[in-house]
Amino acid sequence: MSIKAATGHEVKGYCLHKPGAWQDEPWEGDVVAKVGSKIFAFLGEDTVGVKCGKGRAEADEWIEEFPDEVTVSPYIGRHGWNVLRIGGAIPVEALVEAIDTSYDLVVAPLPKSQRPCP
């Protein structure tokens, strides 16, 4: 599946089509995409929260490139998580790259028995 337009609906669909992905609502009103028991995307109507790097320094590159479109995620930002605005200046291809990176970073440390088959 690919994203044709930068909308919250398209982003959610893309996330949930990743191998082993499933939707959860761990906190009332907060929809997330998980793989195994781990969150790889926080899904909003016009934002997506993703792990943009192994640490804050890598994630800050997104803020430098899109200062009006990216913010540090509350509480977990120090671990490389950012909130990206959907439908703004971030190209669709960059949103896809960010989601793919987040998914890969979350899947990598899972025990082999919990990793989805590609």
Side-chain angles (χ1 to χ4, degrees), residues 3-23:
I3 297 177
K4 295 179 172 80
T7 68
H9 179 73
E10 290 271 335
V11 167
K12 179 180 177 182
Y14 182 77
C15 289
L16 296 177
H17 275 88
K18 304 291 280 173
W22 59 285
Q23 180 177 318

Side-chain angles (χ1 to χ4, degrees), residues 7 70 75 78 84 90:
T7 68
V70 179
Y75 310 110
R78 69 184 177 277
L84 286 60
I90 301 173

Side-chain angles (χ1 to χ4, degrees), residues 18 20-21 26-27 37 40-41 45 49-51 58 62 79 84-86 88 106-107:
K18 304 291 280 173
W27 308 279
S37 63
F40 72 91
E45 288 184 31
V50 290
K51 187 166 178 66
E58 284 181 58
W62 279 87
H79 300 291
L84 286 60
R85 191 163 75 87
I86 300 169
V106 170
V107 167

